Amino acid sequence: MVISALALTGVAQAQSLRVAVAANFKQALTEVAQDYQQQTGVKVQISAGSTGALYTQILHGAPYDLFFAADIERPKLLEQNQQAKSGSRITYATGVLAFWSPGQVAAEQLLSQWDRRLAIANPRTAPYGVAAQQTLAKLRPQNPPSLVRGSNVLQAYQYVQSGNAQAGLVALSHLKAAKVNGAEYWLVPPSWYQPIEQQAVVLNRTHSMADACAFLRFVVQAEQPLQANGYLTQTVDGDALLQRCRS
């Protein structure tokens, strides 16, 4: 990675950081966290799950330092309820939805005619589920396929992987991580669903605000590994983020 965590933030003092992360971002965050640990010596303990479930854990006092959600809503609510550091909320990546049909050439026409089980994330708890629901409403509002709902987008992916569903609307990031043949998935046009803008916040309960802010900065500036893992990114002013987060 181009960024040196030590050079930009100084020697970190915390022994570890506890991070709650949306299931779709676990692989990418793990890679970035390993790089961060090598540079700073700070261990990053990652707990993955659906955004809705992790948000509920935080409301009930789970001892996380940071929350990388798969939506905007939950980080914003935490900020409004003064459970997240004001000024730390930021979009770290934008997710990409893909139609995955193992063993077949994926395409819009195949999805429009799909008559077997289709896995999606639960729209009630996972933003990728909302995107999948919007996609189906756009493409085939009168004849939706038989759906298998996972509690999060990782579970939706696993349903397809295990054969419990023959296709799925899943996160591109999971397909990238598994090195799935590109012919087997089709990227859903972004205009078909609300952008899966994923935001993160530093939680006020953190045991080290400075270290949590430093790690957040490190992640949002890791554009190359995030893009390689199937996300869209934007250039972030790291100095401004660090100043807002620490002030």
Side-chain angles (χ1 to χ4, degrees):
M1 185 176 295
V2 175
I3 305 163
S4 168
L6 289 174
L8 290 176
T9 66
V11 177
Q13 296 178 354
Q15 295 300 311
S16 65
L17 290 169
R18 300 154 298 182
V19 182
V21 59
N24 73 89
F25 196 62
K26 180 182 178 182
Q27 177 65 32
L29 187 64
T30 298
E31 292 181 16
V32 176
Q34 288 173 346
D35 195 1
Y36 186 77
Q37 182 173 341
Q38 288 176 355
Q39 294 194 36
T40 66
V42 177
K43 183 177 181 180
V44 180
Q45 301 174 354
I46 295 174
S47 298
S50 72
T51 290
L54 292 171
Y55 173 73
T56 299
Q57 290 178 21
I58 292 169
L59 291 182
H60 286 84
Y64 298 122
D65 297 287
L66 301 100
F67 179 34
F68 287 82
D71 67 0
I72 296 176
E73 178 186 1
R74 264 58 76 100
K76 183 181 291 186
L77 286 172
L78 289 171
E79 185 181 55
Q80 291 173 347
N81 294 333
Q82 298 183 336
Q83 296 194 53
K85 172 65 177 176
S86 178
S88 70
R89 183 166 61 89
I90 189 169
T91 298
Y92 63 88
T94 299
V96 179
L97 186 70
F99 169 56
W100 179 32
S101 55
Q104 302 180 70
V105 176
E108 176 183 341
Q109 183 177 4
L110 183 62
L111 177 57
S112 68
Q113 299 173 350
W114 192 258
D115 59 1
R116 304 173 74 186
R117 300 214 297 177
L118 182 76
I120 69 169
N122 188 339
R124 294 184 177 182
T125 58
Y128 278 85
V130 174
Q133 192 175 57
Q134 292 171 339
T135 293
L136 294 174
K138 169 75 174 180
L139 186 61
R140 43 188 303 176
Q142 303 303 322
N143 63 332
S146 176
L147 298 178
V148 181
R149 295 177 176 85
S151 61
N152 55 57
V153 73
L154 174 59
Q155 191 170 73
Y157 167 84
Q158 291 170 338
Y159 282 153
V160 182
Q161 186 183 45
S162 65
N164 288 323
Q166 292 71 47
L169 286 165
V170 300
L172 175 61
S173 57
H174 288 143
L175 302 177
K176 290 282 191 180
K179 296 181 171 56
V180 171
N181 186 334
E184 293 185 351
Y185 60 85
W186 171 69
L187 302 184
V188 178
S191 61
W192 287 15
Y193 57 90
Q194 181 178 340
I196 309 172
E197 195 172 347
Q198 305 192 189
Q199 290 197 339
V201 286
V202 173
L203 300 174
N204 282 330
R205 69 192 58 168
T206 179
H207 61 290
S208 178
M209 184 65 68
D211 291 309
C213 292
F215 180 65
L216 177 60
R217 176 190 189 178
F218 192 79
V219 174
V220 300
Q221 291 193 307
E223 294 182 44
Q224 184 175 353
L226 299 194
Q227 291 169 4
N229 275 280
Y231 295 94
L232 304 177
T233 62
Q234 58 185 8
T235 301
V236 173
D237 185 335
D239 291 337
L241 171 61
L242 203 60
Q243 184 175 6
R244 291 198 310 271
C245 187
R246 287 180 169 178
S247 62

